[in-house]
Amino acid sequence: MRDDDKYTNTEEHLLYLQKLLDTPDTAALQDFFTELDTLHIARTLESFPAKTRDFLWEFIPEDLIGEVLAEVDEDIRADYIEGLSASDIEKIVKGLDAQEVAEVLDVADEEIKTSVYASLDQDIRAHVENLHAYEEDVVGRYMDPETVNVKQGVSLEAVQRYIRIHHLLDDESQQIMITDKDKRLLGTLTLIDLIKQPQDAVVDDYMDDFFTLNDQMKVSDAASLLRSKELPFVPVCDSDGLLVGQLNSADVLEITQEDADMTLKHMSGVSNEEEVFTPITRSAKSRGIWLGINLLTAFLAAFVIGQFEAALDQIVALAILMPVVASMGGIAGSQTLTVVIRGLALGQLAGNNIKWLYNKEMWVGMSNGLVWALVVGLISHIWFGDAMITLVITLAIFINMSLANLSGVLIPMVLKKLQIDPALSGAVILTTVTDVVGFLSFLGLATLIIL
Amino acid sequence: MRDDDKYTNTEEHLLYLQKLLDTPDTAALQDFFTELDTLHIARTLESFPAKTRDFLWEFIPEDLIGEVLAEVDEDIRADYIEGLSASDIEKIVKGLDAQEVAEVLDVADEEIKTSVYASLDQDIRAHVENLHAYEEDVVGRYMDPETVNVKQGVSLEAVQRYIRIHHLLDDESQQIMITDKDKRLLGTLTLIDLIKQPQDAVVDDYMDDFFTLNDQMKVSDAASLLRSKELPFVPVCDSDGLLVGQLNSADVLEITQEDADMTLKHMSGVSNEEEVFTPITRSAKSRGIWLGINLLTAFLAAFVIGQFEAALDQIVALAILMPVVASMGGIAGSQTLTVVIRGLALGQLAGNNIKWLYNKEMWVGMSNGLVWALVVGLISHIWFGDAMITLVITLAIFINMSLANLSGVLIPMVLKKLQIDPALSGAVILTTVTDVVGFLSFLGLATLIIL
């Protein structure tokens, strides 16, 4: 049993490890990692920059290295595997399950893969090759191919005995699959029912309705489905309806959390792979793409402003107030965008609902637009005391905020139709629209009304 | 068993329901909801605006209404409960488990609560009152208080018999708790081990290490812990170390997903409760707060620009290029902010690591800053052909992007120290900083160098 105080707070835990590293106290480091489980070791390694991490690997118990590798971020795994020989890797993957072996070999080059394949037990090898046959972003890659299957008409007691005799049910199994002779799934039986129901009953009596995922489904689509259904466990079938694996609760947690992370990262222009401890050069490069795209849109906005040189030249107040118009539109639009992206992810937007949503956002945009246009107008009037400027900025804020909310619905909808992830480019496109509309309406109205 | 085609695609499902509503085909609507499970009904209700939803409630099988209520968003629950009498609610909560009753009663007023309490079975009532004694944002509120507890020294076979005789293990139990006579947790036994291990062995032989959460822990802190540990199940203890409940995989999924959603919403200035179908007035009001805060910061930026009237008055190119400086800094800063907020949520940032992170972000900021400063300088030079303007904007972009990355670390760190959720106000503060620094450096340098 664990000493709770030492483990509940992840940060204290980190500080303790840093203290050991400072000396460094190699004996204590060894002890430290011996006490931890695989997951904990993986999370710990992810909490250090590359240099320290390379040093820490030395203290990880040898028999855990394989499992830890399967668990850490892909970048870290690739760094470790690089430079290892095929025979090193053969030793590492010995004793791992198919899912773990597939993870580790994922980052190895083809030559090493083939050589390690040859060293695997027959049935694990078949599973691993199967997993590797899937594209990287489909459900088949994430599933556990080892399921416990029984036939119809068997008693619960017999199922329990069968499991004990054959040492089935690994840590990750959560339901028993009832299949026909072709491995077509007929139903599932929960472990709970297997235990609590009369043992002489047959599995057929307690077969549950089941929902399956197709092995070729994109993981991001699967994530939305799993979120909306709140299923902690799903059988996976191929397109012929044959059972090929299962997603257990850990897989589901992983998929849905990765998806939520991705949305967050994409909305701020950060790439999927970047973590806190991604090395400087990799971070700089991966962020550069979004900075470049943003630059294009920023110059587009500058170009719009440039069309109104005459107005800016005459009235300096326009230059001063200009960012207020763009900024209010930007916030209003991104509020809408976030809510819509969530609705799309949950599959809540289809048919009439979309019309309702446009209508809602039009009213929210116009009413908030009106309120804040009057507030901004008032402040500007107090500041500059110029009725024409007050009129222009009031109108511009109202126009920009109203259109911002509609764009917040329109942009993700169009992106989805084009099969582009709305979180990925939605925010950039939206800001471009609110900047351009903001500057255009403000400076355009000023040119029309004042000049 | 279900007809898969009808259910795999949530959107098609919605469209089908909308077709039924158009007529409206009341018989088919009745059938539609009879076929669905509770969760599915709840998600369906959440996918319609309030007016349609009120109509849909009529078609939900009466015996499911309680469970559906416990499952839907709090807003929707409150709308439904409002106007119901105590005896209506007593009927609705009949047959629900303690967690569900607590959810439903949460939104009822005190008088109704007391009256419904009196109608509950003794042991459910005790659990419900217990749950209600917790604050809304602590783990105790989310837990399932009904656990299956056994004593040390009992054989697995006896545990299985005990479960069957007493009809224990509801859908949500996932492990057996081994406790002493004071209900102090000694270990846990997975259902997997209960089935697969020799039935004459005693529970002590297969007791797992366990990690527990304190019932008074804030749910948001628990979410970080659960994410970093990837635990699909956790026992909950009070501060005396006594077992008071469990979080099962559905609870864990709920907590971690709510937390991820909250981060996403907070970063874009949307309140926790807002969903796609939140009514217009509620949405407008809840978004208003962030628009107001943004307005203050936008005027702060405008005020900074106002200090440089003289420069703007003489060189109109400054007004044109000004937003480019602010925008590049804004993106660079929010990229860093997102990565740091994730690191904080995972508990990866403590001690030396923070120093490493400042160092990393300084270099990323300066190197990306340098590259993009040169690009912007070049474009500006081609556009305006003025060496002084080129010099000023190149320097300003470099300064703003370098400081933006450092602010992206500093701001969430300081907010965390002040116990403010960094996702909630981080983005607004960051944009304020990048706007102010951007305008100040660009217009300030222009005043110094050109005028």
Side-chain angles (χ1 to χ4, degrees):
Chain A
M1 203 193 312
R2 293 194 194 146
D3 170 8
D4 273 347
D5 283 325
K6 204 156 138 203
Y7 293 95
T8 26
N9 189 323
T10 327
E11 276 174 30
E12 275 168 29
H13 196 207
L14 266 189
L15 289 174
Y16 173 69
L17 182 53
Q18 289 178 1
K19 220 174 55 192
L20 299 186
L21 277 166
D22 276 345
T23 332
D25 184 343
T26 51
L29 280 167
Q30 210 102 44
D31 289 349
F32 181 89
F33 282 109
T34 315
E35 276 179 45
L36 296 185
D37 57 27
T38 312
L39 263 166
H40 212 113
I41 296 177
R43 294 297 91 80
T44 306
L45 288 172
E46 288 165 1
S47 302
F48 283 92
K51 238 174 89 182
T52 324
R53 196 190 300 136
D54 289 343
F55 181 71
L56 288 175
W57 275 112
E58 306 295 320
F59 300 98
I60 294 170
E62 234 172 84
D63 54 323
L64 288 184
I65 287 201
E67 286 175 38
V68 171
L69 271 181
E71 191 54 51
V72 289
D73 289 336
E74 194 178 324
D75 273 11
I76 299 179
R77 191 185 311 139
D79 281 348
Y80 187 89
I81 292 286
E82 215 189 24
L84 288 190
S85 70
S87 71
D88 288 338
I89 297 181
E90 279 165 28
K91 256 179 254 152
I92 287 175
V93 301
K94 194 144 282 169
L96 298 187
D97 67 25
Q99 234 179 337
E100 291 166 334
V101 177
E103 287 274 14
V104 173
L105 287 184
D106 245 3
V107 293
D109 53 35
E110 283 308 317
E111 212 177 312
I112 287 188
K113 245 190 225 174
T114 326
S115 151
V116 177
Y117 276 169
S119 79
L120 294 171
D121 287 344
Q122 190 98 42
D123 54 333
I124 290 208
R125 177 185 173 155
H127 282 316
V128 172
E129 287 184 313
N130 240 332
L131 287 171
H132 276 156
Y134 288 107
E135 295 292 322
E136 279 212 28
D137 59 344
V138 301
V139 168
R141 249 315 164 83
Y142 283 74
M143 74 187 183
D144 175 5
E146 292 158 285
T147 55
V148 179
N149 309 338
V150 302
K151 277 179 289 191
Q152 271 181 299
V154 180
S155 73
L156 301 191
E157 199 184 354
V159 174
Q160 286 215 27
R161 243 183 303 118
Y162 170 70
I163 290 172
R164 281 194 283 275
I165 292 171
H166 296 279
H167 301 289
L168 301 177
L169 274 189
D170 59 26
D171 289 353
E172 300 176 351
S173 324
Q174 285 170 328
Q175 298 197 17
I176 309 296
M177 312 284 189
I178 297 139
T179 55
D180 67 11
K181 61 177 172 25
D182 299 323
K183 269 195 111 180
R184 201 171 304 278
L185 188 62
L186 304 172
T188 61
L189 175 73
T190 62
L191 299 187
I192 292 173
D193 280 334
L194 180 58
I195 295 168
K196 96 194 254 201
Q197 303 303 346
Q199 296 296 297
D200 51 355
V202 290
V203 289
D204 313 45
D205 296 342
Y206 297 100
M207 258 184 2
D208 280 331
D209 272 0
F210 59 89
F211 168 81
T212 64
L213 286 179
N214 183 279
D215 58 348
Q216 294 294 349
M217 187 179 216
K218 290 253 178 293
V219 168
S220 55
D221 295 334
S224 323
L225 264 175
L226 293 172
R227 287 189 64 145
S228 62
K229 295 189 186 294
E230 297 181 32
L231 294 170
F233 170 88
V234 201
V236 180
C237 291
D238 65 14
S239 35
D240 298 329
L242 303 184
L243 180 71
V244 290
Q246 59 179 351
L247 292 180
N248 58 52
S249 63
D251 298 327
V252 169
L253 255 177
E254 190 188 336
I255 290 176
T256 53
Q257 288 181 355
E258 265 182 24
D259 190 63
D261 275 353
M262 209 170 71
T263 305
L264 182 65
K265 287 178 177 174
H266 282 176
M267 286 191 74
S268 1
V270 176
S271 72
N272 285 349
E273 292 76 26
E274 187 169 348
E275 306 292 337
V276 169
F277 296 104
T278 303
I280 298 177
T281 44
R282 260 188 240 164
S283 282
K285 231 190 284 174
S286 85
R287 295 188 200 171
I289 302 160
W290 281 102
L291 288 166
I293 294 172
N294 183 62
L295 187 66
L296 289 179
T297 78
F299 267 108
L300 179 63
F303 175 77
V304 172
I305 302 172
Q307 303 310 301
F308 300 98
E309 267 196 69
L312 286 167
D313 213 15
Q314 284 177 47
I315 313 158
V316 77
L318 295 181
I320 295 172
L321 290 173
M322 194 168 75
V324 175
V325 181
S327 153
M328 291 302 280
I331 293 279
S334 72
Q335 288 177 327
T336 307
L337 184 72
T338 304
V339 175
V340 174
I341 285 177
R342 257 183 53 76
L344 282 174
L346 295 175
Q348 294 180 330
L349 294 173
N352 299 335
N353 287 350
I354 301 178
K355 259 177 272 168
W356 184 90
L357 183 62
Y358 275 109
N359 189 53
K360 167 187 168 176
E361 289 300 334
M362 189 185 73
W363 284 107
V364 171
M366 283 179 27
S367 59
N368 273 343
L370 185 66
V371 170
W372 295 107
L374 293 175
V375 173
V376 173
L378 182 70
I379 300 175
S380 308
H381 197 75
I382 297 170
W383 189 347
F384 296 100
D386 180 324
M388 286 296 127
I389 290 177
T390 305
L391 176 66
V392 167
I393 197 163
T394 306
L395 286 174
I397 294 263
F398 178 72
I399 292 171
N400 200 25
M401 284 180 67
S402 305
L403 290 180
N405 278 36
L406 288 181
S407 313
V409 187
L410 183 67
I411 291 169
M413 289 295 186
V414 171
L415 288 173
K416 215 205 145 193
K417 277 260 157 65
L418 301 174
Q419 309 219 325
I420 301 171
D421 172 14
L424 184 59
S425 25
V428 171
I429 300 180
L430 181 84
T431 323
T432 312
V433 171
T434 53
D435 278 359
V436 168
V437 171
F439 294 137
L440 205 60
S441 59
F442 184 51
L443 299 176
L445 284 170
T447 307
L448 285 175
I449 297 178
I450 309 183
L451 293 194
Chain B
M1 204 194 314
R2 291 192 194 149
D3 170 8
D4 274 346
D5 282 324
K6 204 156 140 202
Y7 294 94
T8 27
N9 189 324
T10 327
E11 275 174 33
E12 276 168 27
H13 196 208
L14 264 189
L15 288 174
Y16 173 69
L17 183 53
Q18 289 178 2
K19 220 174 56 194
L20 300 185
L21 277 165
D22 276 346
T23 331
D25 183 343
T26 51
L29 279 168
Q30 210 101 43
D31 288 349
F32 181 90
F33 283 108
T34 315
E35 277 178 46
L36 297 185
D37 58 26
T38 313
L39 262 166
H40 213 113
I41 297 176
R43 294 297 91 81
T44 305
L45 288 172
E46 287 165 3
S47 302
F48 284 92
K51 238 173 91 180
T52 323
R53 196 189 301 135
D54 289 343
F55 181 72
L56 288 175
W57 273 114
E58 305 296 320
F59 300 98
I60 294 170
E62 234 172 83
D63 54 325
L64 288 185
I65 287 200
E67 286 176 39
V68 171
L69 270 181
E71 191 54 49
V72 290
D73 287 338
E74 194 179 322
D75 273 10
I76 299 178
R77 192 184 310 140
D79 282 347
Y80 188 89
I81 291 287
E82 214 190 25
L84 290 190
S85 70
S87 71
D88 290 336
I89 297 180
E90 279 164 28
K91 255 179 254 152
I92 286 174
V93 301
K94 194 144 282 168
L96 298 187
D97 68 25
Q99 233 179 338
E100 291 166 335
V101 177
E103 286 275 13
V104 173
L105 288 184
D106 244 2
V107 293
D109 53 34
E110 283 308 317
E111 210 177 313
I112 287 187
K113 245 190 224 173
T114 327
S115 151
V116 177
Y117 275 168
S119 79
L120 293 172
D121 287 344
Q122 190 97 43
D123 53 336
I124 290 209
R125 177 184 174 157
H127 282 316
V128 172
E129 287 185 312
N130 239 331
L131 287 171
H132 276 155
Y134 288 107
E135 296 291 323
E136 279 211 29
D137 59 344
V138 301
V139 168
R141 248 318 163 82
Y142 283 74
M143 74 189 181
D144 174 6
E146 293 158 284
T147 54
V148 179
N149 309 340
V150 302
K151 276 179 291 191
Q152 271 183 299
V154 181
S155 73
L156 300 191
E157 198 184 355
V159 174
Q160 287 216 28
R161 243 183 304 117
Y162 169 72
I163 288 172
R164 282 195 283 274
I165 292 170
H166 296 277
H167 301 290
L168 301 177
L169 275 189
D170 59 25
D171 289 353
E172 299 175 351
S173 324
Q174 286 171 327
Q175 299 198 16
I176 310 296
M177 311 283 190
I178 298 139
T179 55
D180 67 11
K181 62 177 173 21
D182 299 322
K183 268 193 114 182
R184 201 172 304 276
L185 188 62
L186 303 172
T188 62
L189 176 74
T190 62
L191 300 187
I192 293 172
D193 280 333
L194 180 57
I195 295 167
K196 95 193 256 199
Q197 303 303 348
Q199 296 295 297
D200 51 356
V202 290
V203 289
D204 312 45
D205 295 342
Y206 298 101
M207 258 183 2
D208 280 331
D209 272 359
F210 59 89
F211 168 81
T212 64
L213 286 178
N214 184 278
D215 58 347
Q216 295 293 350
M217 187 177 215
K218 290 251 178 296
V219 168
S220 55
D221 294 335
S224 322
L225 263 176
L226 292 172
R227 285 189 65 145
S228 63
K229 294 189 186 295
E230 298 180 31
L231 292 171
F233 170 89
V234 202
V236 180
C237 292
D238 65 14
S239 35
D240 297 330
L242 303 185
L243 180 71
V244 290
Q246 60 180 350
L247 292 179
N248 58 52
S249 64
D251 298 326
V252 169
L253 255 178
E254 189 188 337
I255 290 176
T256 53
Q257 288 182 355
E258 265 181 23
D259 190 61
D261 275 353
M262 210 171 71
T263 305
L264 182 64
K265 287 178 176 173
H266 281 176
M267 285 192 74
S268 2
V270 176
S271 72
N272 284 349
E273 292 77 26
E274 187 170 348
E275 305 291 339
V276 170
F277 296 105
T278 302
I280 296 176
T281 44
R282 258 187 241 165
S283 280
K285 230 189 285 173
S286 87
R287 296 189 199 171
I289 302 160
W290 281 103
L291 288 166
I293 293 172
N294 183 63
L295 187 66
L296 289 179
T297 77
F299 267 108
L300 179 63
F303 175 77
V304 172
I305 302 172
Q307 303 311 301
F308 300 99
E309 267 195 69
L312 286 166
D313 213 14
Q314 283 177 50
I315 313 159
V316 77
L318 294 181
I320 294 171
L321 290 174
M322 195 168 74
V324 176
V325 182
S327 151
M328 291 302 281
I331 292 279
S334 72
Q335 288 177 327
T336 308
L337 183 71
T338 304
V339 175
V340 174
I341 285 177
R342 256 183 53 78
L344 283 173
L346 295 175
Q348 294 181 329
L349 295 173
N352 299 336
N353 288 350
I354 301 178
K355 257 178 273 166
W356 184 91
L357 183 62
Y358 275 109
N359 189 52
K360 166 187 168 175
E361 289 300 334
M362 190 185 72
W363 284 107
V364 171
M366 283 180 25
S367 57
N368 274 341
L370 184 65
V371 170
W372 296 106
L374 293 174
V375 174
V376 173
L378 183 69
I379 300 175
S380 309
H381 197 75
I382 297 170
W383 190 348
F384 295 100
D386 180 322
M388 285 296 126
I389 289 177
T390 305
L391 176 67
V392 166
I393 197 162
T394 307
L395 286 174
I397 294 265
F398 179 72
I399 293 171
N400 199 25
M401 284 182 68
S402 305
L403 289 180
N405 278 37
L406 288 181
S407 314
V409 187
L410 184 67
I411 292 169
M413 290 294 186
V414 171
L415 288 173
K416 215 205 143 191
K417 277 260 157 62
L418 300 173
Q419 309 218 326
I420 301 171
D421 172 15
L424 184 60
S425 26
V428 172
I429 299 179
L430 181 84
T431 324
T432 313
V433 170
T434 53
D435 277 0
V436 168
V437 171
F439 295 137
L440 205 60
S441 58
F442 184 52
L443 300 175
L445 284 171
T447 308
L448 284 176
I449 296 178
I450 309 184
L451 295 192

